Amino acid sequence: MTASAGFEPTGREAAMVEAELLDSGERINLGDTLIAGVCRHHGERIVTHHEHFERVSGLDIEA
């Protein structure tokens, strides 16, 4: 097992988020894409005042 093995599923989820946003023409910055991927993968809520997270389907958001 490599040190990065635990990050692979969340990285894959972030890549899926990025692809979905590219398809819809509504990208967000890379850091927020990674955060969205981690939260969506783990089924966790994101607490933020940034409205662009609403572009990510399947993300539980609390403003």
Side-chain angles (χ1 to χ4, degrees), residues 35 39 44-50 53 59-63:
I35 292 168
C39 290
E44 296 293 333
R45 175 178 297 147
I46 183 168
V47 179
T48 182
H49 68 277
H50 296 283
F53 281 103
L59 192 59
D60 185 10
I61 303 167
E62 181 178 327

Side-chain angles (χ1 to χ4, degrees), residues 3-45:
S4 64
F7 297 107
E8 189 173 313
T10 55
R12 217 176 287 136
E13 189 71 33
M16 289 173 44
V17 168
E18 177 74 1
E20 292 166 11
L21 293 172
L22 283 171
D23 285 346
S24 69
E26 297 187 335
R27 291 186 67 198
I28 60 177
N29 70 60
L30 179 59
D32 287 347
T33 300
L34 294 171
I35 292 168
V38 169
C39 290
R40 193 167 81 172
H41 174 75
H42 291 287
E44 296 293 333
R45 175 178 297 147

